[in-house]
Amino acid sequence: MKNSTLIQYMAFACLGVFAVACKSKKVAADQTPKDEVEVVVPCSGTDYFTTNQAFRSNSSGESMDQVTSKKKALTNARNELAASIQTIVKTVTDNYVNSREFNNKEELEERFESLNREVVNQKLSGIKTICEKLVRTKEGRYKTYVALELSADDLVTAYNERLSKDEKLKIDYDYEKFKKTFEEEMNKFEAN
């Protein structure tokens, strides 16, 4: 009887030490070093990262004028969003064209590039503001933080509509293959 009680006490003691050790490691890992200060930026962080469902970007703008600070933030975020979309679509286009092995590969790539610019410019008008914060700095300036979002499905639909209207591309265009290639590329965001 004494041995089983002693074993139980030892087991509880070991569990207690283990739990305290794990907790102290977690707290230590989450703490900012004493000589550094964590900066929390509004409208940013994991909730505002691009996913396989939507492209997202965020930015800020500062000015003596409230409206100008917002315009700067929106312009910066739109440019970032457009660059992100163009990068993904370029990769999708390259993969799609290479997988289709067309005889007129170079011409096809050029036409996709042109359509890419058109569609991105057109779709940027459909972006949503998912976060906006206005602050006043200690210098009395206005600073606007924004996060923007564009649905990946809306973008694929716009590409399909535009590609289907191009007579030369229409012959070689396979929507399901293009969409599959696009979705594979977007799923990489979930893996990160």
Side-chain angles (χ1 to χ4, degrees):
M1 182 87 162
K2 287 184 181 179
N3 281 344
S4 69
T5 306
L6 180 62
I7 291 172
Q8 286 177 341
Y9 283 131
M10 287 178 67
F12 283 123
C14 286
L15 284 174
V17 168
F18 182 72
V20 169
C22 286
K23 186 175 181 181
S24 65
K25 283 183 184 176
K26 185 178 179 187
V27 170
D30 291 343
Q31 290 180 346
T32 304
K34 290 181 182 182
D35 61 338
E36 297 175 1
V37 176
E38 183 178 357
V39 176
V40 178
V41 179
C43 300
S44 69
T46 56
D47 290 343
Y48 302 100
F49 288 171
T50 294
T51 67
N52 64 352
Q53 300 296 312
F55 290 95
R56 294 191 183 102
S57 68
N58 56 55
S59 191
S60 64
E62 187 173 335
S63 175
M64 294 292 290
D65 178 63
Q66 179 181 345
V67 173
T68 303
S69 76
K70 182 175 180 177
K71 284 181 182 178
K72 284 181 176 181
L74 287 170
T75 298
N76 293 340
R78 280 188 187 112
N79 289 339
E80 186 180 313
L81 190 64
S84 176
I85 292 168
Q86 286 179 336
T87 300
I88 291 295
V89 172
K90 172 79 171 113
T91 303
V92 170
T93 301
D94 289 348
N95 291 342
Y96 174 77
V97 171
N98 287 335
S99 72
R100 300 290 293 167
E101 297 180 15
F102 296 120
N103 292 333
N104 58 350
K105 180 179 172 184
E106 190 173 316
E107 181 184 345
L108 191 64
E109 284 176 343
E110 287 175 19
R111 296 186 71 75
F112 265 92
E113 287 292 321
S114 172
L115 287 173
N116 179 21
R117 285 188 293 276
E118 277 181 48
V119 171
V120 168
N121 289 339
Q122 173 192 351
K123 286 312 294 174
L124 283 180
S125 64
I127 59 175
K128 294 188 306 187
T129 300
I130 56 174
C131 180
E132 183 177 332
K133 303 273 189 224
L134 176 66
V135 298
R136 191 132 193 205
T137 66
K138 62 183 175 185
E139 295 84 16
R141 296 172 60 87
Y142 292 98
K143 192 167 190 177
T144 303
Y145 296 90
V146 295
L148 304 177
E149 177 180 88
L150 178 64
S151 165
D153 286 341
D154 289 351
L155 189 65
V156 159
T157 300
Y159 268 99
N160 182 45
E161 289 171 6
R162 189 62 187 94
L163 289 168
S164 296
K165 291 178 184 174
D166 187 298
E167 289 303 317
K168 280 191 172 183
L169 288 176
K170 192 176 184 179
I171 295 167
D172 295 323
Y173 176 61
D174 178 349
Y175 172 69
E176 292 304 319
K177 178 79 173 160
F178 184 82
K179 186 176 179 185
K180 182 179 183 281
T181 306
F182 185 85
E183 287 171 352
E184 286 170 359
E185 204 57 40
M186 291 303 290
N187 284 331
K188 291 179 183 177
F189 284 105
E190 290 300 309
N192 293 333

